[in-house]
Amino acid sequence: MNPNRYLLIVQFLVLSMLLTYQAFSAETIVLKQDQESYQLGLNLDYFEDAKGEYQLPEIDMLRQSDRFQRSQKKVPSFGYTRSVYWAYFMVENPLKTPKRLLLELAHPFMKQVTLYYSVDGKPFKKEIKGLQVDRSENEIGNRNHMFEMEFPGSSSTRFYMRFENEGPMSFPLMLWNTKAHLKKADLEQIVLGGFYGVVFALLIYNFTIFLSLRDKSYLFYVIFLGLLIVYQLT
């Protein structure tokens, strides 16, 4: 075979592989100066590790060989499963100044979530959080799992996240700037305060009726409301 023709075929195959990989790879999240939050669900790839046996180097190879699937939902959800799930996404900061953001997993009951991230091709760093992981004294006071991230100016950061749970498997992921997240947390506190206030008022009201009528059905309802409050607070 003509050497030039052989070289042309090899170049064509390499180009086809690159185009295929780009077509099925998650779209990079590009940070903007004035944007306050970024929902990550549609910008990530995921992989089901049914036996929980893979480590990061193997997962990285599997992703590069197109074994990951592109997420089609804003909040990827897989129901009740014992499988471990991995997610991959990229964040690019084209600005000259660094950006400090909060990466939030709004699933407080996740047993364990492991974050791996690499800035501009440097070795991966690792952080672990979760329901069964002791919280450090310096951790952000929030019921959800929060990672403080800094994106250097003109940089690209790769992320892998490993999710392990014994209940519902979903990973609602958001990037927030600090002020926007504080506003969101304040609003949530108001809504939760209203919810607990209404339930507690019902408890007091029905307990008062029970004291007046001595009807056990009201007492059972009061006990139910008390247990509901304790469950929700937990």
Side-chain angles (χ1 to χ4, degrees):
M1 181 183 292
N2 188 307
N4 293 332
R5 186 178 179 183
Y6 177 78
L7 181 60
L8 183 63
I9 293 174
V10 171
Q11 290 176 340
F12 174 77
L13 291 175
V14 171
L15 181 60
S16 298
M17 291 174 63
L18 288 174
L19 290 175
T20 301
Y21 174 74
Q22 291 177 358
F24 290 95
S25 180
E27 184 178 351
T28 301
I29 299 130
V30 180
L31 302 183
K32 299 178 182 179
Q33 183 67 48
D34 300 323
Q35 189 165 338
E36 295 183 337
S37 63
Y38 306 81
Q39 191 166 36
L40 307 186
L42 295 175
N43 295 87
L44 59 82
D45 298 331
Y46 67 88
F47 175 79
E48 181 182 6
D49 182 3
K51 297 182 179 180
E53 59 186 357
Y54 292 112
Q55 301 298 319
L56 180 62
E58 300 166 305
I59 285 294
D60 194 35
M61 293 179 63
L62 288 171
R63 185 190 63 82
Q64 294 185 46
S65 61
D66 294 333
R67 294 285 299 278
F68 275 54
Q69 299 181 56
R70 180 72 180 272
S71 171
Q72 303 296 323
K73 300 179 181 179
K74 292 182 178 180
V75 179
S77 180
F78 307 95
Y80 284 83
T81 177
R82 293 296 181 93
S83 296
V84 168
Y85 274 81
W86 291 79
Y88 171 82
F89 57 95
M90 285 190 66
V91 177
E92 180 182 345
N93 180 15
L95 308 173
K96 294 182 179 180
T97 56
K99 293 270 288 184
R100 184 180 293 274
L101 299 174
L102 300 175
L103 174 58
E104 177 187 40
L105 171 63
H107 189 334
F109 299 110
M110 184 68 67
K111 177 181 176 182
Q112 183 171 301
V113 52
T114 306
L115 174 71
Y116 302 89
Y117 60 98
S118 169
V119 181
D120 291 334
K122 296 177 181 178
F124 279 93
K125 296 182 179 180
K126 175 181 176 181
E127 292 186 39
I128 303 176
K129 297 186 186 293
L131 189 63
Q132 297 183 354
V133 178
D134 292 336
R135 292 196 173 213
S136 66
E137 294 181 358
N138 298 324
E139 191 167 347
I140 297 171
N142 192 285
R143 68 184 184 281
N144 293 328
H145 305 302
M146 309 292 297
F147 299 89
E148 295 184 80
M149 305 302 307
E150 181 165 342
F151 300 93
S154 303
S155 68
S156 180
T157 306
R158 295 199 301 147
F159 289 88
Y160 282 100
M161 298 186 76
R162 181 184 186 275
F163 303 94
E164 182 179 353
N165 203 22
E166 295 178 352
M169 176 61 70
S170 66
F171 26 98
L173 294 168
M174 292 282 294
L175 276 172
W176 298 90
N177 71 24
T178 304
K179 290 183 179 180
H181 187 267
L182 286 174
K183 291 179 182 178
K184 174 236 184 192
D186 288 343
L187 178 60
E188 286 182 343
Q189 292 300 320
I190 293 172
V191 173
L192 289 173
F195 168 77
Y196 287 114
V198 170
V199 176
F200 191 72
L202 284 172
L203 187 151
I204 297 297
Y205 175 73
N206 283 276
F207 185 67
T208 303
I209 295 178
F210 164 73
L211 293 177
S212 300
L213 303 179
R214 297 295 177 177
D215 186 339
K216 289 184 179 180
S217 61
Y218 287 98
L219 178 60
F220 293 146
Y221 188 53
V222 167
I223 293 172
F224 164 75
L225 289 174
L227 294 175
L228 176 64
I229 292 174
V230 172
Y231 172 76
Q232 291 292 341
L233 286 173
T234 303

